[in-house]
Amino acid sequence: MEKKIISLCYRKIITVSDEKPWEKLVFNDSYAEFKMQAQYYNPKNEYQRFSQLVQHVPGAQQLHFLTSAAVTPYISQLNNIVPDISNNLGKLFLKFKSFRFEIINSDLKNMEKHCIAVSFFSEDLYFLNQFGSLLLTAKVDALPDENGGIATELFNLVPFLSIDNIKL
């Protein structure tokens, strides 16, 4: 059987309505950092929304990167395991090798409009099969057991989870 190698991307969107402690911390700290960093790009308080800053102030795209500094410690708490993605046994299993932080929307005067995304990019996996919305994969570095088999993971392609890359 020809094995294809894939990597996955899970885009986790975080808003004011999230209730889990981790998401609340990421939300609150990213908003505080955004407000602090935005002062550099908006010294005269001309703009209220993130989109206005990006549209009118050169270099304001850097706010994604600058704000991510507040999120990085929370990402490390995940121990390289993608949140929310569980296998059919209900266990979190998917390891990520990198992430990207993004400000989707924000408002310097209204925290409720703050919306961010963290995209997690998985380690390489062997794509073994697909059954409807279920994917069957195995770790590329998995060692065979005493019978020559390798451990697999069966999981659903849920919203905001997709195949990011495939090597043929």
Side-chain angles (χ1 to χ4, degrees), residues 30-63:
S30 67
Y31 184 68
E33 188 71 19
F34 165 71
K35 284 182 69 171
M36 185 177 73
Q37 296 292 343
Q39 292 174 29
Y40 173 77
Y41 297 96
N42 194 23
K44 297 178 184 174
N45 292 320
E46 296 175 77
Y47 307 108
Q48 181 175 332
R49 293 187 308 274
F50 171 69
S51 61
Q52 292 172 318
L53 286 167
V54 170
Q55 184 178 9
H56 298 290
V57 180
Q61 281 286 348
Q62 281 291 102
L63 285 166

Side-chain angles (χ1 to χ4, degrees), residues 12-32:
K12 181 171 186 60
I13 297 174
I14 301 172
T15 67
V16 70
S17 62
D18 282 296
E19 296 182 5
K20 293 179 183 174
W22 187 86
E23 284 87 347
K24 280 185 173 188
L25 290 167
V26 169
F27 178 85
N28 290 331
D29 285 3
S30 67
Y31 184 68

Side-chain angles (χ1 to χ4, degrees), residues 59-120:
Q61 281 286 348
Q62 281 291 102
L63 285 166
H64 296 287
F65 171 74
L66 296 170
T67 304
S68 73
V71 174
T72 303
Y74 298 109
I75 301 295
S76 65
Q77 291 175 359
L78 298 174
N79 296 319
N80 294 333
I81 301 292
V82 176
D84 307 331
I85 306 302
S86 57
N87 62 18
N88 269 19
L89 300 175
K91 294 182 178 184
L92 296 175
F93 72 97
L94 188 59
K95 291 191 168 253
F96 67 90
K97 64 180 176 183
S98 64
F99 74 94
R100 182 175 56 233
F101 174 83
E102 168 189 7
I103 301 169
I104 296 172
N105 188 29
S106 200
D107 188 299
L108 292 165
K109 296 180 181 174
N110 186 348
M111 186 177 196
E112 291 187 4
K113 292 185 178 180
H114 187 63
C115 179
I116 59 171
V118 181
S119 295
F120 297 93

